[in-house]
mmCIF file with all atom_site columns, all heavy atoms in Angstrom:
data_model
loop_
_atom_site.group_PDB
_atom_site.id
_atom_site.type_symbol
_atom_site.label_atom_id
_atom_site.label_alt_id
_atom_site.label_comp_id
_atom_site.label_asym_id
_atom_site.label_entity_id
_atom_site.label_seq_id
_atom_site.pdbx_PDB_ins_code
_atom_site.Cartn_x
_atom_site.Cartn_y
_atom_site.Cartn_z
_atom_site.occupancy
_atom_site.B_iso_or_equiv
_atom_site.pdbx_formal_charge
_atom_site.auth_seq_id
_atom_site.auth_comp_id
_atom_site.auth_asym_id
_atom_site.auth_atom_id
_atom_site.pdbx_PDB_model_num
ATOM 1   N N   . ALA A 1 87  ? -9.326 36.233 -49.149 1.00 0.00 ? 87  ALA A N   1
ATOM 2   C CA  . ALA A 1 87  ? -7.879 36.622 -49.103 1.00 0.00 ? 87  ALA A CA  1
ATOM 3   C C   . ALA A 1 87  ? -7.122 35.327 -48.926 1.00 0.00 ? 87  ALA A C   1
ATOM 4   O O   . ALA A 1 87  ? -7.516 34.423 -48.197 1.00 0.00 ? 87  ALA A O   1
ATOM 5   C CB  . ALA A 1 87  ? -7.611 37.572 -47.968 1.00 0.00 ? 87  ALA A CB  1
ATOM 6   N N   . ASP A 1 88  ? -5.858 35.327 -49.587 1.00 0.00 ? 88  ASP A N   1
ATOM 7   C CA  . ASP A 1 88  ? -4.990 34.223 -49.342 1.00 0.00 ? 88  ASP A CA  1
ATOM 8   C C   . ASP A 1 88  ? -4.469 34.180 -47.923 1.00 0.00 ? 88  ASP A C   1
ATOM 9   O O   . ASP A 1 88  ? -4.451 33.162 -47.278 1.00 0.00 ? 88  ASP A O   1
ATOM 10  C CB  . ASP A 1 88  ? -3.800 34.362 -50.283 1.00 0.00 ? 88  ASP A CB  1
ATOM 11  C CG  . ASP A 1 88  ? -4.127 34.145 -51.803 1.00 0.00 ? 88  ASP A CG  1
ATOM 12  O OD1 . ASP A 1 88  ? -5.181 33.505 -52.000 1.00 0.00 ? 88  ASP A OD1 1
ATOM 13  O OD2 . ASP A 1 88  ? -3.311 34.575 -52.635 1.00 0.00 ? 88  ASP A OD2 1
ATOM 14  N N   . PHE A 1 89  ? -4.080 35.359 -47.429 1.00 0.00 ? 89  PHE A N   1
ATOM 15  C CA  . PHE A 1 89  ? -3.649 35.458 -46.004 1.00 0.00 ? 89  PHE A CA  1
ATOM 16  C C   . PHE A 1 89  ? -4.360 36.526 -45.253 1.00 0.00 ? 89  PHE A C   1
ATOM 17  O O   . PHE A 1 89  ? -4.663 37.516 -45.887 1.00 0.00 ? 89  PHE A O   1
ATOM 18  C CB  . PHE A 1 89  ? -2.105 35.839 -45.958 1.00 0.00 ? 89  PHE A CB  1
ATOM 19  C CG  . PHE A 1 89  ? -1.223 34.711 -46.486 1.00 0.00 ? 89  PHE A CG  1
ATOM 20  C CD1 . PHE A 1 89  ? -1.047 34.384 -47.685 1.00 0.00 ? 89  PHE A CD1 1
ATOM 21  C CD2 . PHE A 1 89  ? -0.483 34.031 -45.494 1.00 0.00 ? 89  PHE A CD2 1
ATOM 22  C CE1 . PHE A 1 89  ? -0.215 33.326 -48.152 1.00 0.00 ? 89  PHE A CE1 1
ATOM 23  C CE2 . PHE A 1 89  ? 0.307  32.956 -45.776 1.00 0.00 ? 89  PHE A CE2 1
ATOM 24  C CZ  . PHE A 1 89  ? 0.530  32.663 -47.173 1.00 0.00 ? 89  PHE A CZ  1
ATOM 25  N N   . VAL A 1 90  ? -4.681 36.284 -44.029 1.00 0.00 ? 90  VAL A N   1
ATOM 26  C CA  . VAL A 1 90  ? -5.353 37.107 -43.160 1.00 0.00 ? 90  VAL A CA  1
ATOM 27  C C   . VAL A 1 90  ? -4.668 37.383 -41.900 1.00 0.00 ? 90  VAL A C   1
ATOM 28  O O   . VAL A 1 90  ? -4.236 36.412 -41.236 1.00 0.00 ? 90  VAL A O   1
ATOM 29  C CB  . VAL A 1 90  ? -6.850 36.637 -42.860 1.00 0.00 ? 90  VAL A CB  1
ATOM 30  C CG1 . VAL A 1 90  ? -7.582 37.631 -41.980 1.00 0.00 ? 90  VAL A CG1 1
ATOM 31  C CG2 . VAL A 1 90  ? -7.602 36.468 -44.201 1.00 0.00 ? 90  VAL A CG2 1
ATOM 32  N N   . THR A 1 91  ? -4.409 38.589 -41.447 1.00 0.00 ? 91  THR A N   1
ATOM 33  C CA  . THR A 1 91  ? -3.925 38.846 -40.144 1.00 0.00 ? 91  THR A CA  1
ATOM 34  C C   . THR A 1 91  ? -4.986 39.087 -39.140 1.00 0.00 ? 91  THR A C   1
ATOM 35  O O   . THR A 1 91  ? -6.013 39.670 -39.460 1.00 0.00 ? 91  THR A O   1
ATOM 36  C CB  . THR A 1 91  ? -2.892 40.051 -40.126 1.00 0.00 ? 91  THR A CB  1
ATOM 37  O OG1 . THR A 1 91  ? -3.726 41.291 -40.419 1.00 0.00 ? 91  THR A OG1 1
ATOM 38  C CG2 . THR A 1 91  ? -1.760 39.915 -41.192 1.00 0.00 ? 91  THR A CG2 1
ATOM 39  N N   . ASP A 1 92  ? -4.722 38.691 -37.925 1.00 0.00 ? 92  ASP A N   1
ATOM 40  C CA  . ASP A 1 92  ? -5.683 38.882 -36.802 1.00 0.00 ? 92  ASP A CA  1
ATOM 41  C C   . ASP A 1 92  ? -4.806 39.421 -35.635 1.00 0.00 ? 92  ASP A C   1
ATOM 42  O O   . ASP A 1 92  ? -4.045 38.678 -35.074 1.00 0.00 ? 92  ASP A O   1
ATOM 43  C CB  . ASP A 1 92  ? -6.235 37.596 -36.537 1.00 0.00 ? 92  ASP A CB  1
ATOM 44  C CG  . ASP A 1 92  ? -7.303 37.730 -35.365 1.00 0.00 ? 92  ASP A CG  1
ATOM 45  O OD1 . ASP A 1 92  ? -7.038 38.414 -34.393 1.00 0.00 ? 92  ASP A OD1 1
ATOM 46  O OD2 . ASP A 1 92  ? -8.313 37.054 -35.385 1.00 0.00 ? 92  ASP A OD2 1
ATOM 47  N N   . LYS A 1 93  ? -4.831 40.734 -35.435 1.00 0.00 ? 93  LYS A N   1
ATOM 48  C CA  . LYS A 1 93  ? -4.037 41.396 -34.386 1.00 0.00 ? 93  LYS A CA  1
ATOM 49  C C   . LYS A 1 93  ? -4.811 41.617 -33.168 1.00 0.00 ? 93  LYS A C   1
ATOM 50  O O   . LYS A 1 93  ? -5.813 42.313 -33.232 1.00 0.00 ? 93  LYS A O   1
ATOM 51  C CB  . LYS A 1 93  ? -3.502 42.713 -34.954 1.00 0.00 ? 93  LYS A CB  1
ATOM 52  C CG  . LYS A 1 93  ? -2.582 43.449 -33.922 1.00 0.00 ? 93  LYS A CG  1
ATOM 53  C CD  . LYS A 1 93  ? -2.030 44.728 -34.505 1.00 0.00 ? 93  LYS A CD  1
ATOM 54  C CE  . LYS A 1 93  ? -3.038 45.925 -34.213 1.00 0.00 ? 93  LYS A CE  1
ATOM 55  N NZ  . LYS A 1 93  ? -3.087 46.376 -32.896 1.00 0.00 ? 93  LYS A NZ  1
ATOM 56  N N   . SER A 1 94  ? -4.303 41.049 -32.023 1.00 0.00 ? 94  SER A N   1
ATOM 57  C CA  . SER A 1 94  ? -5.003 41.315 -30.773 1.00 0.00 ? 94  SER A CA  1
ATOM 58  C C   . SER A 1 94  ? -4.116 40.982 -29.639 1.00 0.00 ? 94  SER A C   1
ATOM 59  O O   . SER A 1 94  ? -3.342 39.949 -29.607 1.00 0.00 ? 94  SER A O   1
ATOM 60  C CB  . SER A 1 94  ? -6.261 40.440 -30.672 1.00 0.00 ? 94  SER A CB  1
ATOM 61  O OG  . SER A 1 94  ? -6.875 40.528 -29.285 1.00 0.00 ? 94  SER A OG  1
ATOM 62  N N   . ILE A 1 95  ? -4.114 41.809 -28.597 1.00 0.00 ? 95  ILE A N   1
ATOM 63  C CA  . ILE A 1 95  ? -3.316 41.598 -27.439 1.00 0.00 ? 95  ILE A CA  1
ATOM 64  C C   . ILE A 1 95  ? -3.852 40.241 -26.771 1.00 0.00 ? 95  ILE A C   1
ATOM 65  O O   . ILE A 1 95  ? -3.035 39.463 -26.219 1.00 0.00 ? 95  ILE A O   1
ATOM 66  C CB  . ILE A 1 95  ? -3.446 42.785 -26.500 1.00 0.00 ? 95  ILE A CB  1
ATOM 67  C CG1 . ILE A 1 95  ? -2.796 43.965 -27.047 1.00 0.00 ? 95  ILE A CG1 1
ATOM 68  C CG2 . ILE A 1 95  ? -2.821 42.434 -25.193 1.00 0.00 ? 95  ILE A CG2 1
ATOM 69  C CD1 . ILE A 1 95  ? -3.265 45.314 -26.666 1.00 0.00 ? 95  ILE A CD1 1
ATOM 70  N N   . GLU A 1 96  ? -5.111 40.022 -26.921 1.00 0.00 ? 96  GLU A N   1
ATOM 71  C CA  . GLU A 1 96  ? -5.626 38.849 -26.344 1.00 0.00 ? 96  GLU A CA  1
ATOM 72  C C   . GLU A 1 96  ? -5.270 37.596 -27.021 1.00 0.00 ? 96  GLU A C   1
ATOM 73  O O   . GLU A 1 96  ? -5.432 36.394 -26.479 1.00 0.00 ? 96  GLU A O   1
ATOM 74  C CB  . GLU A 1 96  ? -7.227 38.912 -26.333 1.00 0.00 ? 96  GLU A CB  1
ATOM 75  C CG  . GLU A 1 96  ? -7.813 39.894 -25.282 1.00 0.00 ? 96  GLU A CG  1
ATOM 76  C CD  . GLU A 1 96  ? -7.583 41.356 -25.543 1.00 0.00 ? 96  GLU A CD  1
ATOM 77  O OE1 . GLU A 1 96  ? -7.498 41.627 -26.690 1.00 0.00 ? 96  GLU A OE1 1
ATOM 78  O OE2 . GLU A 1 96  ? -7.630 42.067 -24.535 1.00 0.00 ? 96  GLU A OE2 1
ATOM 79  N N   . ASN A 1 97  ? -4.680 37.664 -28.193 1.00 0.00 ? 97  ASN A N   1
ATOM 80  C CA  . ASN A 1 97  ? -4.179 36.458 -28.855 1.00 0.00 ? 97  ASN A CA  1
ATOM 81  C C   . ASN A 1 97  ? -3.084 35.628 -28.102 1.00 0.00 ? 97  ASN A C   1
ATOM 82  O O   . ASN A 1 97  ? -2.938 34.462 -28.197 1.00 0.00 ? 97  ASN A O   1
ATOM 83  C CB  . ASN A 1 97  ? -3.552 36.779 -30.264 1.00 0.00 ? 97  ASN A CB  1
ATOM 84  C CG  . ASN A 1 97  ? -4.669 37.031 -31.306 1.00 0.00 ? 97  ASN A CG  1
ATOM 85  O OD1 . ASN A 1 97  ? -5.898 36.633 -31.079 1.00 0.00 ? 97  ASN A OD1 1
ATOM 86  N ND2 . ASN A 1 97  ? -4.377 37.737 -32.442 1.00 0.00 ? 97  ASN A ND2 1
ATOM 87  N N   . VAL A 1 98  ? -2.444 36.324 -27.191 1.00 0.00 ? 98  VAL A N   1
ATOM 88  C CA  . VAL A 1 98  ? -1.536 35.666 -26.312 1.00 0.00 ? 98  VAL A CA  1
ATOM 89  C C   . VAL A 1 98  ? -2.280 34.719 -25.442 1.00 0.00 ? 98  VAL A C   1
ATOM 90  O O   . VAL A 1 98  ? -1.860 33.480 -25.233 1.00 0.00 ? 98  VAL A O   1
ATOM 91  C CB  . VAL A 1 98  ? -0.697 36.632 -25.419 1.00 0.00 ? 98  VAL A CB  1
ATOM 92  C CG1 . VAL A 1 98  ? 0.202  35.993 -24.480 1.00 0.00 ? 98  VAL A CG1 1
ATOM 93  C CG2 . VAL A 1 98  ? 0.100  37.612 -26.286 1.00 0.00 ? 98  VAL A CG2 1
ATOM 94  N N   . GLU A 1 99  ? -3.290 35.154 -24.956 1.00 0.00 ? 99  GLU A N   1
ATOM 95  C CA  . GLU A 1 99  ? -4.194 34.321 -24.016 1.00 0.00 ? 99  GLU A CA  1
ATOM 96  C C   . GLU A 1 99  ? -5.012 33.200 -24.810 1.00 0.00 ? 99  GLU A C   1
ATOM 97  O O   . GLU A 1 99  ? -5.497 32.302 -24.205 1.00 0.00 ? 99  GLU A O   1
ATOM 98  C CB  . GLU A 1 99  ? -5.090 35.134 -23.173 1.00 0.00 ? 99  GLU A CB  1
ATOM 99  C CG  . GLU A 1 99  ? -4.287 36.118 -22.276 1.00 0.00 ? 99  GLU A CG  1
ATOM 100 C CD  . GLU A 1 99  ? -5.175 37.220 -21.555 1.00 0.00 ? 99  GLU A CD  1
ATOM 101 O OE1 . GLU A 1 99  ? -6.219 37.510 -22.130 1.00 0.00 ? 99  GLU A OE1 1
ATOM 102 O OE2 . GLU A 1 99  ? -4.790 37.674 -20.497 1.00 0.00 ? 99  GLU A OE2 1
ATOM 103 N N   . LEU A 1 100 ? -5.156 33.449 -26.057 1.00 0.00 ? 100 LEU A N   1
ATOM 104 C CA  . LEU A 1 100 ? -5.935 32.528 -26.900 1.00 0.00 ? 100 LEU A CA  1
ATOM 105 C C   . LEU A 1 100 ? -5.062 31.538 -27.679 1.00 0.00 ? 100 LEU A C   1
ATOM 106 O O   . LEU A 1 100 ? -5.510 30.833 -28.505 1.00 0.00 ? 100 LEU A O   1
ATOM 107 C CB  . LEU A 1 100 ? -6.780 33.326 -27.908 1.00 0.00 ? 100 LEU A CB  1
ATOM 108 C CG  . LEU A 1 100 ? -7.849 34.110 -27.322 1.00 0.00 ? 100 LEU A CG  1
ATOM 109 C CD1 . LEU A 1 100 ? -8.587 35.063 -28.377 1.00 0.00 ? 100 LEU A CD1 1
ATOM 110 C CD2 . LEU A 1 100 ? -8.874 33.236 -26.678 1.00 0.00 ? 100 LEU A CD2 1
ATOM 111 N N   . LEU A 1 101 ? -3.732 31.503 -27.283 1.00 0.00 ? 101 LEU A N   1
ATOM 112 C CA  . LEU A 1 101 ? -2.786 30.600 -28.010 1.00 0.00 ? 101 LEU A CA  1
ATOM 113 C C   . LEU A 1 101 ? -3.370 29.110 -27.949 1.00 0.00 ? 101 LEU A C   1
ATOM 114 O O   . LEU A 1 101 ? -3.185 28.376 -28.949 1.00 0.00 ? 101 LEU A O   1
ATOM 115 C CB  . LEU A 1 101 ? -1.431 30.761 -27.497 1.00 0.00 ? 101 LEU A CB  1
ATOM 116 C CG  . LEU A 1 101 ? -0.592 31.931 -28.015 1.00 0.00 ? 101 LEU A CG  1
ATOM 117 C CD1 . LEU A 1 101 ? 0.783  31.951 -27.322 1.00 0.00 ? 101 LEU A CD1 1
ATOM 118 C CD2 . LEU A 1 101 ? -0.491 31.906 -29.492 1.00 0.00 ? 101 LEU A CD2 1
ATOM 119 N N   . GLY A 1 102 ? -3.904 28.709 -26.835 1.00 0.00 ? 102 GLY A N   1
ATOM 120 C CA  . GLY A 1 102 ? -4.331 27.353 -26.654 1.00 0.00 ? 102 GLY A CA  1
ATOM 121 C C   . GLY A 1 102 ? -5.427 27.040 -27.686 1.00 0.00 ? 102 GLY A C   1
ATOM 122 O O   . GLY A 1 102 ? -5.400 25.994 -28.408 1.00 0.00 ? 102 GLY A O   1
ATOM 123 N N   . ALA A 1 103 ? -6.418 27.945 -27.787 1.00 0.00 ? 103 ALA A N   1
ATOM 124 C CA  . ALA A 1 103 ? -7.468 27.912 -28.827 1.00 0.00 ? 103 ALA A CA  1
ATOM 125 C C   . ALA A 1 103 ? -6.864 27.916 -30.330 1.00 0.00 ? 103 ALA A C   1
ATOM 126 O O   . ALA A 1 103 ? -7.305 27.147 -31.142 1.00 0.00 ? 103 ALA A O   1
ATOM 127 C CB  . ALA A 1 103 ? -8.541 28.900 -28.532 1.00 0.00 ? 103 ALA A CB  1
#
Side-chain angles (χ1 to χ4, degrees):
D88 289 342
F89 285 79
V90 177
T91 64
D92 182 321
K93 181 182 87 74
S94 175
I95 294 156
E96 284 75 22
N97 282 344
V98 174
E99 297 168 335
L100 292 174
L101 281 178

